[in-house]
Amino acid sequence: MTELKNDLFLRACLRQDVERTPVWMMRQAGRYLPEYRATRAKAGGFLDLCRSPELCSEVTLQPIDILGADAAILFSDILVVPEAMGMKLTFGVGEGPKFPDPVTCRADVEKLPVLTDPSDGLGYVLDAVATIRRDLNGRVPLIGFAGSPWTLATYMVEGGGSKNFSKVKAMMFNEPETMHLLLGKLADSVAAYLNGQIAHGAQAVQIFDTWGGILTTRDYGEFSLAYMQRIVGQLTREHEGRRVPVILYTKGGMGWLEAIADTGCDVVGLDWSIDIDQAKARIGDRVALQGNMDPTMLYAKPGRIREEVRDILARFGHGNGHVFNLGHGITPDVPKEHAIEFFRAVREESVRYHQAAS
Ligand code: 1CP
């Protein structure tokens, strides 16, 4: 196995010493990069891109070359899991994802299989993981990912993105057992899928709970966090002689940081609604923190972006356990130069917080 040339990200996830704060960005391979748009055009559509291991690898490596990211993230989508469970999925041009035949009742949930073997239906993603590891050649670690069961369920029941989540909420309130059956199937499928990614070379994994924040505290515990916990409990935690860090990210979940840290994850992903010093005071002695610049800060001038990076670094202060990131994904219309400046600023400004104590 090739030695990692830059393992800052893995060390920060485990709260070990680093020379500077590592940085990567959610959605770092994406439409704000002309290079990404060119590769996607070559593939045909978004799902064709996801299904080509060679092209997936190409777009995964673009932000490593262009931004100098300290970690690569598998290029795929969270919705390939319900697709592999038999649901038709489409991505129209300029549109979000759509499930034209959504889950509407108990019988629909009963029909869905648990994916115990990800090579059955998701083999193309596992091939992409192995191809990316080969092409990275040890430059930076590779992060694998999946959606949280709750977040996947929102798309499966709503039939796509949603504003008020009326259908999935109605199912949760009216038929809680049906919802639990669905979430349990998703949790076990996601756990097997993430273990497949780890076996094929993912060196850390992140669970994206993009829609956990729309729930009450009680419902978050019962319908989202419990199922992420069930996944964490099933994951391979060591591979290739190293710990495989697990990152949990709940957008809108900053009120529940202690409960998220209690799942046994290694890293808690922060959105931009909390000051990182507050998050550090609450859970920083137990887990590493990932985040948390407001993604819209990337619309500001480069000087303002650098000022914000400095402020977040100062709030975290000295000490280990910070992976710099945005609080959510980069948006498609951000100028590429601004993203480059964000990465440069973190690299340059963070060194002072990691000098040996004198
Ligand atoms: O036009 C295009 O090229 C498609 C845009 C796009 C991209 C680049 C989609 C459609 N998915 C992706 C890739 C993707 N999705 C990654 C790649 C790795 C990276 O560089 O970060 C990841 C991690 C995801 C995860 C994902 N997909 C999430 C969770 C993270 C988040 O951003 O909140 C969610 C909610 C999705 C669903 C999805 N896929 C695509 C879109 C536009 C959406 C959101 C739909 C909506 O609710 O409006």
Side-chain angles (χ1 to χ4, degrees):
M1 214 24 93
T2 330
E3 276 293 303
L4 265 176
K5 296 174 191 89
N6 170 355
D7 67 351
L8 289 170
F9 164 77
L10 292 179
R11 282 189 272 147
C13 285
L14 302 175
R15 292 182 295 141
Q16 296 167 354
D17 286 335
V18 286
E19 302 77 61
R20 60 174 178 80
T21 306
V23 52
W24 71 280
M25 181 167 74
M26 289 188 267
R27 292 281 173 99
Q28 65 188 11
R31 283 171 290 177
Y32 76 99
L33 285 178
E35 293 85 350
Y36 166 81
R37 296 197 299 268
T39 311
R40 191 186 56 179
K42 198 159 69 177
F46 173 69
L47 281 174
D48 302 305
L49 177 53
C50 291
R51 290 192 189 105
S52 159
E54 298 296 331
L55 296 180
C56 267
S57 179
E58 190 174 305
V59 294
T60 300
L61 266 64
Q62 285 167 353
I64 315 307
D65 295 328
I66 297 165
L67 309 167
D70 292 305
I73 180 160
L74 163 68
F75 189 84
S76 188
D77 196 79
I78 62 169
L79 300 178
V80 298
V81 168
E83 187 195 35
M85 292 167 88
M87 292 187 72
K88 185 178 160 56
L89 171 66
T90 62
F91 280 90
V93 189
E95 275 179 46
K98 292 269 179 298
F99 289 111
D101 306 307
V103 168
T104 59
C105 59
R106 176 133 192 136
D108 288 347
V109 175
E110 280 170 355
K111 273 190 296 200
L112 292 168
V114 175
L115 300 178
T116 48
D117 179 3
S119 59
D120 190 9
L122 292 164
Y124 67 95
V125 184
L126 305 182
D127 290 344
V129 170
T131 305
I132 297 164
R133 269 300 293 275
R134 180 200 70 196
D135 293 348
L136 276 170
N137 196 24
R139 287 172 68 188
V140 293
L142 175 62
I143 305 168
F145 73 90
S148 74
W150 168 254
T151 292
L152 293 176
T154 65
Y155 289 97
M156 294 164 79
V157 176
E158 297 291 335
S162 178
K163 277 214 170 70
N164 54 15
F165 299 91
S166 54
K167 299 188 183 79
V168 72
K169 286 279 189 98
M171 183 183 281
M172 178 180 84
F173 293 130
N174 294 332
E175 293 182 63
E177 281 110 53
T178 299
M179 185 55 75
H180 281 303
L181 182 66
L182 174 58
L183 295 168
K185 286 184 169 187
L186 286 168
D188 296 341
S189 301
V190 165
Y193 176 51
L194 288 175
N195 282 337
Q197 293 184 25
I198 294 166
H200 284 76
Q203 290 149 297
V205 292
Q206 173 156 332
I207 301 175
F208 287 91
D209 188 24
T210 304
W211 301 118
I214 64 168
L215 295 167
T216 63
T217 296
R218 281 159 292 132
D219 291 334
Y220 176 71
E222 181 177 343
F223 293 95
S224 184
L225 192 63
Y227 291 94
M228 291 198 279
Q229 171 106 57
R230 177 155 152 184
I231 296 167
V232 174
Q234 295 179 51
L235 291 179
T236 307
R237 300 304 283 271
E238 212 181 292
H239 190 65
E240 302 176 40
R242 267 188 109 130
R243 186 164 176 92
V244 181
V246 176
I247 309 166
L248 294 194
Y249 165 78
T250 294
K251 181 163 167 277
M254 301 305 99
W256 311 313
L257 291 180
E258 292 82 358
I260 298 170
D262 280 344
T263 57
C265 64
D266 301 280
V267 184
V268 173
L270 306 176
D271 68 22
W272 65 95
S273 68
I274 187 169
D275 287 333
I276 199 165
D277 48 322
Q278 299 292 317
K280 189 182 182 189
R282 282 167 57 190
I283 56 167
D285 58 337
R286 292 190 273 156
V287 289
L289 303 178
Q290 177 174 280
N292 73 337
M293 193 173 86
D294 179 348
T296 65
M297 182 55 68
L298 293 176
Y299 296 120
K301 291 180 184 156
R304 180 68 184 85
I305 295 171
R306 183 170 287 256
E307 208 179 286
E308 191 71 8
V309 164
R310 263 199 222 118
D311 180 70
I312 292 169
L313 288 168
R315 284 178 188 279
F316 190 88
H318 290 268
N320 296 322
H322 184 202
V323 174
F324 216 113
N325 204 313
L326 303 177
H328 194 209
I330 183 173
T331 38
D333 53 346
V334 164
K336 172 178 156 182
E337 290 310 315
H338 290 196
I340 293 174
E341 173 59 13
F342 164 59
F343 277 73
R344 191 187 297 130
V346 177
R347 274 195 304 275
E348 293 174 0
E349 304 289 342
S350 65
V351 176
R352 76 184 74 158
Y353 293 101
H354 297 285
Q355 282 154 358
S358 51

